[in-house]
Amino acid sequence: MHEVTIPGPEGRIEGRYNIGAGNNPPLVILLHPHPKFGGNMNNKVIYNCFKNFTALGFSVLRFNYRGVGKSEGEYSGDEGLGEMTDSACALDWLLLNNTESTKVWVAGFSFGAFIALNLLMRRPEIESFIAISPPADKYDFSFLAPCPVSGLIIQGDNDEIVNETDVALFANKLDSQRSISIKYKKVKSADHFFTDHLDTINTEIKKYVQKSLRTNNN
């Protein structure tokens, strides 16, 4: 794992990067929860995803939004527009350092899932997503009309911050769209941070990613 500095619109962006195995490994960027509520790239769910995608052979990048950790600037307060711009810059950096790689994923947790889904609408390079606890009861996701790629949504049914019923309805609405498939995994008894359930996230991500890569390689 390497510490990296990415040029961003508000100055430097602090990141951690791991280079994938073999030639032209798939790529993924990881987007952390809301900075106003303590979210950063060392969040347990995001760090867990970093290790998981690394084990799957991806080149993986996690980073701090503006004003978090050593990233310059400050929270924009504009419903995530600034953080979305930071994420686009991080994706540009990842692509620039992996010019031969063609498979690009995005994964986000909580507010980071909202940013991830916004990003994939703007970046046709992204071929799949993983959204963990997307705050469907707090943000308007109507921009996903239509959603351009298939993905996995994971949600705890004992989440005290994001309502599981709203997420289930959101996932079902996306899955009803043509040409894509959304897998929804409800994790029984899991709170918002998946305390004691991170292994379940690992298992679900591993199964979904491996199946998707096999399918797309055929």
Side-chain angles (χ1 to χ4, degrees), residues 5 10 26 40 45 51-52 54 61-62 80 93 95 117 131 136 142 147 169 171 175 185 188 206:
T5 300
E10 297 296 315
N40 60 61
V45 174
K51 292 192 298 180
N52 201 9
T54 295
L61 174 67
R62 74 185 199 270
W93 182 93
L95 291 168
L117 292 169
S142 62
C147 181
L169 290 170
D175 191 51
K185 174 61 180 179
K188 187 176 181 180
K206 182 178 180 180

Side-chain angles (χ1 to χ4, degrees), residues 91 95 102 104 119-128 148-149:
L91 179 56
L95 291 168
T102 58
V104 183
L119 185 64
L120 69 84
M121 292 296 293
R122 292 160 171 78
R123 300 299 293 262
E125 308 97 322
I126 297 173
E127 69 171 34
S128 194
V149 298

Side-chain angles (χ1 to χ4, degrees), residues 17 49-50 66 131 153 157 159:
Y17 174 57
C49 288
F50 186 90
R66 59 187 63 192
I153 296 176
D157 73 354
D159 192 323

Side-chain angles (χ1 to χ4, degrees), residues 13-15 29-47 49 61-71 75 80 83-84 86-87 106-116 130 132-133 135 139 192-193:
I13 294 173
E14 176 190 18
I29 62 168
L30 307 177
L31 308 181
H32 70 71
H34 204 296
K36 282 297 183 182
F37 302 100
N40 60 61
M41 67 176 175
N42 294 320
N43 167 271
K44 288 183 179 180
V45 174
I46 291 299
Y47 182 70
C49 288
L61 174 67
R62 74 185 199 270
F63 65 95
N64 281 326
Y65 306 133
R66 59 187 63 192
V68 179
K70 296 179 181 177
S71 291
Y75 172 61
E83 289 69 34
M84 200 183 315
D86 294 341
S87 301
V106 62
F109 170 48
S110 196
F111 173 76
F114 173 69
I115 300 299
I130 294 174
I132 304 171
S133 304
Y139 291 92
H192 187 65
F193 296 99

Side-chain angles (χ1 to χ4, degrees), residues 18 20-21 26-30 46-61 105-108 128-130 132 202 205-206 208-209 213:
N18 197 77
L27 314 176
V28 63
I29 62 168
L30 307 177
I46 291 299
Y47 182 70
N48 191 67
C49 288
F50 186 90
K51 292 192 298 180
N52 201 9
F53 273 103
T54 295
L56 287 165
F58 280 65
S59 285
V60 191
L61 174 67
W105 289 54
V106 62
S128 194
F129 72 88
I130 294 174
I132 304 171
N202 283 343
I205 290 177
K206 182 178 180 180
Y208 184 80
V209 170
L213 293 179

Side-chain angles (χ1 to χ4, degrees), residues 33-34 37 75 78-80 109-115 118 132-143 155-156 158-168 170 192-193:
H34 204 296
F37 302 100
Y75 172 61
D78 53 9
E79 293 296 304
F109 170 48
S110 196
F111 173 76
F114 173 69
I115 300 299
N118 268 281
I132 304 171
S133 304
D137 56 346
K138 296 176 174 60
Y139 291 92
D140 181 5
F141 284 85
S142 62
F143 58 85
Q155 175 65 39
N158 198 30
D159 192 323
E160 70 284 10
I161 295 175
V162 175
N163 184 276
E164 187 276 327
T165 300
D166 288 298
V167 178
F170 167 59
H192 187 65
F193 296 99

